[in-house]
């Protein structure tokens, strides 16, 4: 099959991506650009501007001016609701274009782009959901505690200027999860998409402009972590940083935020377990678990269940089904309806995954299948055959570290208490799924496993519920009331109601 990345690129008409600063789209001040190569073919997809520290400063100052002038943070609830709902309508109207741009960015196949969590419909739903919170950001009235007549009020006010740093694996959804609640709360935003997935995000920003955002409320600076990201997270006029990405970069964000006591939300990945008991539907457990690390993004997702804890009574059955799932994985042109899985995002990530595969074998895990590279025309892409490791010690590197590739580590257990111990024996705590027919056991496990979200006999993302993790999976939550409140500050107001002062 001849890949058609260039054909699709030319059809979309990708031009050099520009920066959005204060309502104006422009090139970087020093003219610097970055050429993005498609991970499936190595072809040049397009160029985008690399924002220098001076560009970042201009964007932050534009956001600060827009916030301080108050046209957006001081706007009526109806205005913000109207803009966010109009944004959702425009997003839905441009579904095909946005899906195409996302596939050109990171190679996620269109077959996976229809799955709800990666769909444009989900992106629109996020904006609709947060629009519904705008007129419900209520404070409280409290009785006075001491003597004297007075009224105690609490108010929620927007936190200020937000730096939103988004990864490449879900550029549309993860942008929406940060930008929608920030705008709903009345904040202004400086958005930095990943250098490996920029064009879909830029188009989303233009749709938000079209929806009626005033100039300066949303600014976009593109470029790598150095210099663009570093200049953004260290800027003194930023009030809050929201970041999704690796744990290592998250620690740098947290350190930078500490200098100015900036508010922070971090989603830093996971090593999420599927816990399979002998009374479970083993076929469903194995296919769903293996699907999270092979199909679609090829395991390059924070919620990929890359660690399977399987009861010894169904262990061999689980392994056989998981291995069989690898036959459903097809690579190639992301626009081909027969392609089911994406390439790894860069050659560097490919080498990293191959290194984990070697290390797994060196540490005693049994390689059941996979680990090779496809040949022929696919050899130009960042592809690796899906891997199943059996008999993995839970202390092994491949059972403890986030690989971000199509690698499943299968760990046996004997009883419920051992399953709980193994599940919690990790520095992460983002997600987990428990497979069992026993309702009481399901509830016990959901309470015992330290993870931000626990699914029972399946796992999915919802735009209206809190999403985030325990431990080193991050700080804070996205989705629901918790998300929008994270973009506010709580103010207490004391009002005397009697003749005497308090």
């Amino acid at each position: 099959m001849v890949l058609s990345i260039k054909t699709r690129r030319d059809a979309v008409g990708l031009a050099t991506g520009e920066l959005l600063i204060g309502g104006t789209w422009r090139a970087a001040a020093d003219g610097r650009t970055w050429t993005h190569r498609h991970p499936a073919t190595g072809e040049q997809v397009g160029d985008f501007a690399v924002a220098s520290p001076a560009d970042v400063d201009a964007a932050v100052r534009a956001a600060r001016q827009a916030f301080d002038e108050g046209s957006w943070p001081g706007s009526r609830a109806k205005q913000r609701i109207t803009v966010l709902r109009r944004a959702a309508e425009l997003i839905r109207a441009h579904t095909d274009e946005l899906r195409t741009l996302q596939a050109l960015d990171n190679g996620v196949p269109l077959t996976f782009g229809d799955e709800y969590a990666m769909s444009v419909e989900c992106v629109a739903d996020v904006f609709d959901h947060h629009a519904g919170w705008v007129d419900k950001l209520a404070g409280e009235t409290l009785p006075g505690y001491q003597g004297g007549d007075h009224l105690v009020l609490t108010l929620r006010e927007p936190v200020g200027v937000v730096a939103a740093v988004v990864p490449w694996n879900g550029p549309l959804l993860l942008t929406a999860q940060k930008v929608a609640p920030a705008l709903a709360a009345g904040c202004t935003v400086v958005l930095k998409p990943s250098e490996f997935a920029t064009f879909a995000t830029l188009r989303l920003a233009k749709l938000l402009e079209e929806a009626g955002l005033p100039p300066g409320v949303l600014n976009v600076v593109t470029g790598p972590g150095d210099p663009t990201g570093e200049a953004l997270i260290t800027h003194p006029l930023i009030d809050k940083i929201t970041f999704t990405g690796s744990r290592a970069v998250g620690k740098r964000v947290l350190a930078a935020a500490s200098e100015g006591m900036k508010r922070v939300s971090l989603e830093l990945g996971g090593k999420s377990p599927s816990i399979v008991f002998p009374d479970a539907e083993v076929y469903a457990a194995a296919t769903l678990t293996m699907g999270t690390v092979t199909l679609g993004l090829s395991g390059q997702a924070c919620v990929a269940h890359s660690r399977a804890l399987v009861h010894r009574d169904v262990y061999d059955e689980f392994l056989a089904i998981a291995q069989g799932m690898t036959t459903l994985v097809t690579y190639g042109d992301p626009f081909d309806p027969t392609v089911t899985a994406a390439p790894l995002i860069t050659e560097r990530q490919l080498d990293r995954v191959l290194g984990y595969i070697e290390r797994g074998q060196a540490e005693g895990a049994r390689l059941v299948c996979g680990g090779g590279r496809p040949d022929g025309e696919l050899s130009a892409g960042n592809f690796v055959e899906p891997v199943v490791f059996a008999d993995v010690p839970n202390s092994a590197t491949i059972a403890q570290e986030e690989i971000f590739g199509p690698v499943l580590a299968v760990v046996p257990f004997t009883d419920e208490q051992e399953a709980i111990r193994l599940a919690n024996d990790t520095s992460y705590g983002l997600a987990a799924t428990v497979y069992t027919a026993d309702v009481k056991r399901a509830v016990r496990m959901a309470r015992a496993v330290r993870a931000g979200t626990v699914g029972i006999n399946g796992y999915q993302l919802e735009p209206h519920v809190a999403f985030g993790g325990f431990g080193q999976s991050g700080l804070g939550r996205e989705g629901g009331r918790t998300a929008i409140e994270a973009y506010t500050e709580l103010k207490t107001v004391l009002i005397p109601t009697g003749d005497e002062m308090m």
Side-chain angles (χ1 to χ4, degrees), residues 182-273:
L183 296 178
C187 299
T188 58
V189 180
V190 182
L191 170 67
K192 193 201 91 65
S194 167
E195 65 269 35
F196 301 114
T198 298
F199 293 110
T201 307
L202 293 179
R203 186 67 182 111
L204 181 60
K206 290 184 178 181
L207 294 177
L208 290 172
E209 280 190 300
E210 188 178 337
L213 276 184
V217 173
L218 175 65
N219 306 270
V220 185
V221 291
T222 57
D226 183 15
T228 310
E230 184 69 14
L232 181 59
I233 66 173
T234 57
H235 199 288
L237 296 183
I238 292 293
D239 298 300
K240 176 182 173 69
I241 305 172
T242 174
F243 168 80
T244 297
S246 72
R247 181 167 58 180
V249 178
K251 290 179 178 179
R252 171 61 195 135
V253 170
L254 193 58
S258 68
E259 293 296 321
M261 299 299 289
K262 297 176 175 65
R263 306 301 187 254
V264 179
S265 296
L266 302 174
E267 196 275 278
L268 306 180
K271 194 66 182 177
S272 302

Side-chain angles (χ1 to χ4, degrees), residues 202-467:
L202 293 179
R203 186 67 182 111
L204 181 60
K206 290 184 178 181
L207 294 177
L208 290 172
E209 280 190 300
E210 188 178 337
L213 276 184
V217 173
L218 175 65
N219 306 270
V220 185
V221 291
T222 57
D226 183 15
T228 310
E230 184 69 14
L232 181 59
I233 66 173
T234 57
H235 199 288
L237 296 183
I238 292 293
D239 298 300
K240 176 182 173 69
I241 305 172
T242 174
F243 168 80
T244 297
S246 72
R247 181 167 58 180
V249 178
K251 290 179 178 179
R252 171 61 195 135
V253 170
L254 193 58
S258 68
E259 293 296 321
M261 299 299 289
K262 297 176 175 65
R263 306 301 187 254
V264 179
S265 296
L266 302 174
E267 196 275 278
L268 306 180
K271 194 66 182 177
S272 302
S274 283
I275 308 168
V276 184
F277 286 93
D279 61 346
E281 290 287 341
V282 180
Y283 180 83
T287 54
L288 291 172
T289 300
M290 195 63 184
T292 69
V293 295
T294 57
L295 301 177
L297 283 165
S298 294
Q300 298 171 110
C302 58
V303 296
H305 284 48
S306 57
R307 196 167 49 116
L309 311 179
V310 183
H311 195 280
R312 295 181 185 278
D313 288 352
V314 292
Y315 191 77
D316 291 339
E317 181 184 1
F318 181 96
L319 286 174
I321 297 169
Q323 182 177 1
M325 271 290 292
T326 64
T327 63
L328 301 180
V329 175
T330 55
Y331 294 130
D333 180 356
F335 301 98
D336 185 332
T338 67
V339 169
T340 61
L344 301 180
I345 190 63
T346 62
E347 290 184 10
R348 179 180 178 183
Q349 180 61 16
L350 173 63
D351 291 340
R352 183 173 180 269
V353 170
L354 293 173
Y356 273 113
I357 295 170
E358 292 180 2
R359 188 162 183 178
Q361 296 175 84
E363 292 182 354
R366 174 165 59 92
L367 181 64
V368 175
C369 65
R373 297 283 318 284
D375 53 16
E377 64 182 17
L378 293 179
S379 63
N382 304 324
F383 300 108
V384 60
E385 295 169 350
V387 174
V388 176
F389 274 113
D391 308 332
V392 180
N394 203 57
S395 59
T397 303
I398 60 171
Q400 290 294 320
E401 296 186 9
E402 186 176 47
I403 297 174
F404 237 54
V407 180
L408 178 65
V410 187
V411 181
F413 72 85
T414 302
D415 56 34
E416 188 174 313
Q417 290 307 308
E418 185 182 15
I420 293 169
R421 178 181 62 78
L422 292 171
N424 293 335
D425 183 20
T426 174
S427 58
Y428 290 107
L430 184 60
T433 299
V434 178
Y435 292 93
T436 179
D438 185 332
V439 174
K440 292 181 179 179
R441 173 188 283 149
V443 173
R444 289 195 302 270
M445 293 296 296
R447 288 175 171 169
V449 174
R450 291 185 56 79
T453 304
V454 180
I456 305 300
N457 295 325
Y459 185 93
Q460 62 190 35
L461 297 177
E462 300 278 4
H464 68 299
V465 299
F467 175 80

